[in-house]
């Protein structure tokens, strides 16, 4: 089996577009298409279906993906065995528009000699990601396993940054003109967060946020992407959402969306990094130091219970 074809399949599955996979692999989109087509002929199944937004895995593609990742990881481990200093630092982020990805990009711009491979594993359950770290599929992930006792013993988790959340609303929302809002002022307002993955740390975060601060967090409905969310906010007088100030969000000028900081207390998400306990990538600690060097959220601050534990404070 052609391992470059398997690698092309994995990158296309992770990025959702053949062109993005081609750009990262340094080949043409046609080359990626040919590799995947050859792989499909060899396996005698369809791995992708094309959509208006790119490509999506078929059921056969979903079944093949974890094994394909294992093949790619095995090849990379073999290369690492003979060229230990040549390997890129492979880090998983929740999404390429998220604040964690933006901060990581800022670090790379300041240190362009750092060979980074930034991926998104599209796994809702952070324990799946922890297993990928343990297996060597990735070097690290910006995820949180809220019960550290369930982490594999080969894997470590450390707190790197508290991420404040702010309200994002359209011009017709009652809080659109506010300079800041308190959690008490958010009570009764619909805070729409579509696509919260079950068993994810974000599901636990929003459940605890709603219970502690008496907020109405609505995760109903399918997630049609950030563009649809922004359009909904622009057109609605009663829908809001919560975002990070660093999230890379852009919208047409006529949307006239407003970012409103939350204070008294601020709402913060404790961002963690999962990585191997033994022999972590040599570039990883510099990235941890960069995240920890960023400004702290001014108090008072609300954090979930699992973000107030000793591992989150001192790890």
């Amino acid at each position: 089996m052609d391992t470059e074809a398997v690698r092309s399949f994995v990158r296309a599955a992770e990025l959702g577009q053949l062109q993005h996979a081609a750009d990262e692999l340094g080949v043409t989109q046609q080359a990626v298409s040919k590799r995947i087509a050859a792989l499909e002929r060899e396996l005698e199944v369809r791995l992708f279906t094309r959509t208006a937004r790119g490509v999506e895995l078929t059921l056969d593609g979903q079944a093949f993906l974890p094994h394909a990742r294992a093949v790619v990881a095995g090849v990379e481990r073999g290369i690492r065995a003979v060229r230990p200093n040549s390997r890129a630092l492979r880090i998983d982020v929740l999404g390429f528009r998220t604040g964690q990805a933006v901060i990581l990009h800022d670090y790379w711009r300041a240190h362009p000699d750092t060979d980074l491979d930034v991926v998104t594993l599209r796994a809702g359950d952070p324990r799946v990601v922890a297993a990928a770290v343990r297996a060597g599929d990735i070097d690290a992930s910006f995820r949180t396993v809220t019960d550290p006792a369930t982490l594999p013993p080969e894997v470590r988790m450390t707190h790197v940054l508290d991420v404040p959340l702010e309200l994002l609303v359209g011009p017709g929302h009652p809080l659109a003109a506010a300079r800041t809002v308190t959690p008490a002022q958010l009570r009764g307002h619909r805070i729409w967060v579509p696509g919260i993955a079950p068993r994810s740390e974000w599901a636990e975060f929003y459940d605890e946020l709603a219970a502690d601060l008496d907020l109405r967090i609505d995760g109903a409905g399918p997630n049609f992407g950030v563009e649809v969310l922004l359009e909904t906010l622009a057109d609605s007088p009663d829908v809001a959402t919560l975002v990070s100030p660093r999230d890379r969000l852009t919208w047409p000028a006529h949307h006239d969306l407003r970012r409103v900081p939350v204070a008294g207390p601020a709402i913060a998400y404790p961002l963690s990094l999962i990585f191997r306990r033994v022999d972590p990538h040599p570039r990883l600690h510099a990235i941890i130091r960069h995240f920890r060097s960023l400004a702290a959220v001014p108090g008072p601050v609300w954090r979930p219970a699992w973000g107030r534990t000793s591992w989150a404070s001192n790890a």
Side-chain angles (χ1 to χ4, degrees), residues 51 65 70 127 155 175 196 246 300:
T51 69
L65 180 58
R127 288 168 293 188
V155 172
L175 298 175
I196 300 175
R246 296 179 185 270

Side-chain angles (χ1 to χ4, degrees), residues 48-66:
F48 289 111
T49 56
R50 291 184 178 271
T51 69
R53 298 176 61 187
V55 291
E56 292 183 356
L57 289 169
T58 63
L59 290 177
D60 288 321
Q62 293 175 32
F64 183 60
L65 180 58

